[in-house]
Amino acid sequence: MRKKGLPEWMNSSLWSSSAPSTSSAISETSDSHPRQTPKSDRRPPPPLLPPPMQLPPSRQPLDPTVVPVFPLPFPTPPPNASNPEITDGDCRVPNTSDISPAEINISVQSQFLSELSRQPIDLVELRRLASQGIPDADGIRPTVWKLLLGYLPNDRRQWVQELQKKRARYLAFKEEFLVNPLSRQPIDLVELRRLASQGIPDADGIRPTVWKLLLGYLPNDRRQWVQELQKKRARYLAFKEEFLVNPSEVTRRLSESYTSKDEGLDLEGSGLLYRSEIIHGEHPLSLGITSTWNQFFQYSEIMEQIDRDVMRTHPGMHFFSGDTDLAKSNQESLRHILIIFAKLNPGIRYVQGMNEVLAPLLYVFRNDPDPSNSVSAEPDAFFCFVELLGVFRDNFCQKLDNSVVGIRSTISRLSQLLKKHDGELWRHLEITTKVNPQFYAFRWITLLLTQEFNFADALRIWDTLLSDPEGPQDTLLRICCAMLILVRRPLLSGEFNSNLKLLQKYPEKNIARLLHVANTLRQT
């Protein structure tokens, strides 16, 4: 109602004391007399929501089925609002308290999908959205992270090419740094030794191949392997033919050769009987140095010793002991290798305990999953045994026992190593309790610790022994010293008898810790 005598702007409804309340506006059609609302309860109507934002054609999603829905800045409802809807003229505004978190998440996902569909992608806008949190669904986070880290360009058309290039580069890195070093050409022996020192896996025939490489039996050029193996295995067959044939068989062959020469002689009607001729050097009673029979009798005692030791090799393992064909075959291989070695090395011949050093080699090579290698385990083990004994041969040569390279000198080096790293333990063992290192260290060193640990642990120790670029001798002494340090507490509290018993039957220890302690001795 217009009031006379007032300026025009004073007649606005905003200044009216009888403005209809929200509730009276809703019920206006049913109540012709609107109720007056106190001035303190009157509130301005909430702002109207803008219409849904429309993307320009250049920024529409690539997928026409995906329609982005953007969250709108809904105003905060009044604290005492109780109506689900608020009416402002003809515009009905939904209450934001009714919007579920799932609906908000869908809206946020749609914004990211829309942004990722642009060409090119607006990294500024993407960073703004990502700073508010990236949804977990639809693989949005992986793609956004790759974009934000610069792994993917903002031009979607380059993604396939860039991913192929970078993934191929990573495969090259794996080939160089992680793939089995045995597949490289040529094989990097420095890297191979580093890996082997940490332990060689039992599976896939890795240990047999690595040991052959570390012992110099195989060259680091894989292309030469077939030729080298054929040549060395043929040489071993020649050794067997020369040193393992029974002298009676040699005599028989010689007799047959002479018979063939006399086949042309006509003895019929002469009254003479055919008589086999044996040259004097091959007679069983010949004392000639080159006589096969004389050499056979000279080595008969050694061969008897070899036979006894072979039968005692790891009696608890079916691989070496028992009546099975496998055990008998392996015993025969041990016997052949030791006899041939003794005859090829007359200065050393055979020393008791060599069978224990040979056993791990034959076991590892016989268990190679490659049949072409396992069937040739005997010749392979022979040549690797020769290489290994080449390092430790002075320990087996009795004539050198008192020399600077003999076994006693080696034991003295172990004593000095213990004195350097644990003087208290050294004094208690050698001065207080009078435990001579020869009482326990002689077997440790000559048998390369094969009798102090179970077979699997001994193989692990050998991985470290064979992989040392400085040679296995020094590594062996450090491991022996570490063995003493690991049992220092019972040794320091023990007397002669208890300490000697402890060291001659070394207790079971964690091999990884033992090798770790041994490695720390190298660095100090």
Side-chain angles (χ1 to χ4, degrees):
M1 180 176 178
R2 183 180 180 84
K3 295 182 180 181
K4 297 180 179 180
L6 292 177
E8 183 67 24
W9 58 273
M10 292 290 292
N11 285 309
S12 173
S13 60
L14 294 175
W15 303 99
S16 175
S17 61
S18 61
S21 67
T22 304
S23 59
S24 63
I26 296 176
S27 59
E28 186 176 8
T29 57
S30 59
D31 190 356
S32 58
H33 302 282
R35 291 172 296 177
Q36 298 295 325
T37 302
K39 185 175 181 179
S40 59
D41 292 338
R42 290 197 301 269
R43 297 180 180 86
L48 298 180
L49 295 175
M53 183 182 296
Q54 298 295 328
L55 293 174
S58 61
R59 298 169 68 89
Q60 289 294 332
L62 295 179
D63 187 354
T65 61
V66 178
V67 179
V69 179
F70 295 88
L72 301 177
F74 294 113
T76 304
N80 60 349
S82 58
N83 294 327
E85 293 183 352
I86 301 175
T87 302
D88 186 21
D90 294 333
C91 180
R92 301 171 63 85
V93 182
N95 192 342
T96 56
S97 62
D98 293 338
I99 300 179
S100 66
E103 294 174 334
I104 297 177
N105 289 337
I106 293 175
S107 175
V108 173
Q109 293 175 24
S110 299
Q111 290 186 69
F112 274 97
L113 292 174
S114 173
E115 194 63 40
L116 293 175
S117 301
R118 298 183 182 182
Q119 181 57 32
I121 296 172
D122 186 351
L123 293 180
V124 175
E125 177 63 17
L126 186 66
R127 291 181 185 277
R128 185 191 67 79
L129 293 174
S131 66
Q132 303 172 13
I134 306 173
D136 296 320
D138 298 327
I140 296 176
R141 177 176 280 120
T143 304
V144 172
W145 278 16
K146 292 174 184 177
L147 285 161
L148 298 179
L149 290 170
Y151 179 63
L152 286 177
N154 63 342
D155 189 342
R156 295 171 57 91
R157 295 168 298 185
Q158 302 177 16
W159 284 9
V160 174
Q161 181 181 357
E162 283 294 315
L163 289 174
Q164 290 177 345
K165 181 175 66 175
K166 292 180 178 178
R167 290 167 180 172
R169 188 183 306 170
Y170 179 75
L171 291 178
F173 290 153
K174 288 182 64 177
E175 182 71 20
E176 181 178 358
F177 300 116
L178 300 179
V179 176
N180 187 343
L182 297 178
S183 62
R184 299 179 183 177
Q185 180 58 33
I187 296 172
D188 185 352
L189 291 181
V190 175
E191 177 66 12
L192 185 66
R193 291 181 184 278
R194 186 190 67 80
L195 294 174
S197 66
Q198 303 170 13
I200 305 174
D202 296 319
D204 301 325
I206 297 178
R207 178 175 276 128
T209 305
V210 172
W211 278 17
K212 292 173 185 178
L213 284 161
L214 296 179
L215 287 167
Y217 180 59
L218 286 177
N220 64 340
D221 189 344
R222 295 172 57 89
R223 296 170 296 186
Q224 302 177 17
W225 285 8
V226 174
Q227 181 180 357
E228 284 293 316
L229 289 174
Q230 290 176 346
K231 181 174 65 175
K232 292 180 178 178
R233 289 167 181 173
R235 186 185 306 170
Y236 181 77
L237 291 178
F239 289 154
K240 290 181 68 173
E241 184 71 18
E242 180 179 357
F243 298 116
L244 299 180
V245 176
N246 191 294
S248 299
E249 180 66 17
V250 175
T251 303
R252 185 187 65 79
R253 293 177 183 178
L254 288 173
S255 176
E256 290 179 353
S257 66
Y258 291 130
T259 301
S260 62
K261 294 179 181 179
D262 295 338
E263 285 180 352
L265 299 178
D266 186 8
L267 301 178
E268 186 177 356
S270 64
L272 299 176
L273 299 176
Y274 174 77
R275 180 179 180 181
S276 299
E277 294 186 10
I278 302 177
I279 61 176
H280 175 73
E282 299 304 330
H283 194 278
L285 300 180
S286 173
L287 298 178
I289 298 177
T290 60
S291 171
T292 304
W293 282 98
N294 186 30
Q295 293 178 4
F296 175 78
F297 289 127
Q298 286 182 351
Y299 280 91
S300 60
E301 184 177 351
I302 293 177
M303 288 188 286
E304 290 176 1
Q305 180 65 53
I306 290 174
D307 289 339
R308 288 193 297 268
D309 289 349
V310 165
M311 297 300 295
R312 292 195 292 256
T313 303
H314 293 287
M317 294 182 62
H318 296 297
F319 183 87
F320 295 107
S321 179
D323 296 329
T324 63
D325 292 338
L326 174 64
K328 292 179 179 179
S329 173
N330 294 328
Q331 289 174 356
E332 194 69 11
S333 294
L334 289 174
R335 181 177 180 273
H336 290 167
I337 293 172
L338 294 172
I339 291 175
I340 293 175
F341 179 85
K343 292 186 175 182
L344 285 174
N345 298 272
I348 301 178
R349 295 193 177 184
Y350 172 76
V351 178
Q352 190 174 14
M354 286 184 176
N355 59 306
E356 302 293 349
V357 178
L358 173 61
L361 296 170
L362 182 65
Y363 176 86
V364 168
F365 297 157
R366 185 77 80 192
N367 285 283
D368 193 320
D370 186 345
S372 64
N373 289 326
S374 61
V375 74
S376 300
E378 183 178 320
D380 294 349
F382 168 78
F383 284 104
C384 288
F385 178 72
V386 171
E387 294 291 338
L388 186 59
L389 263 291
V391 179
F392 295 101
R393 63 178 297 166
D394 293 339
N395 294 335
F396 292 94
C397 187
Q398 188 175 2
K399 296 179 181 179
L400 298 176
D401 282 353
N402 296 319
S403 68
V404 294
V405 295
I407 183 62
R408 291 181 181 176
S409 176
T410 304
I411 294 175
S412 177
R413 290 171 55 197
L414 172 61
S415 175
Q416 294 301 314
L417 191 64
L418 177 63
K419 182 179 180 180
K420 173 184 176 182
H421 294 285
D422 196 334
E424 180 184 6
L425 180 58
W426 173 83
R427 282 189 298 272
H428 182 77
L429 282 178
E430 299 194 20
I431 298 177
T432 305
T433 61
K434 305 296 184 182
V435 177
N436 192 316
Q438 295 186 21
F439 297 158
Y440 59 89
F442 183 88
R443 188 178 70 179
W444 291 7
I445 294 172
T446 55
L447 303 187
L448 306 186
L449 301 175
T450 56
Q451 297 300 296
E452 315 313 317
F453 303 93
N454 65 61
F455 199 77
D457 289 343
L459 297 183
R460 172 64 187 89
I461 292 174
W462 276 39
D463 291 341
T464 300
L465 285 177
L466 301 181
S467 62
D468 195 323
E470 300 176 2
Q473 185 77 271
D474 291 337
T475 304
L476 176 62
L477 294 181
R478 284 192 293 268
I479 294 176
C480 291
C481 185
M483 291 170 62
L484 295 170
I485 294 174
L486 288 183
V487 292
R488 73 184 309 271
R489 182 174 298 177
L491 289 177
L492 289 174
S493 61
E495 299 298 331
F496 176 84
N497 290 332
S498 61
N499 286 348
L500 187 60
K501 182 179 179 179
L502 174 66
L503 296 177
Q504 288 183 343
K505 191 175 181 181
Y506 193 79
E508 183 176 349
K509 291 293 180 181
N510 183 291
I511 299 301
R513 171 159 176 75
L514 171 64
L515 296 177
H516 172 73
V517 173
N519 188 52
T520 59
L521 299 181
R522 178 204 299 268
Q523 303 169 0
T524 58

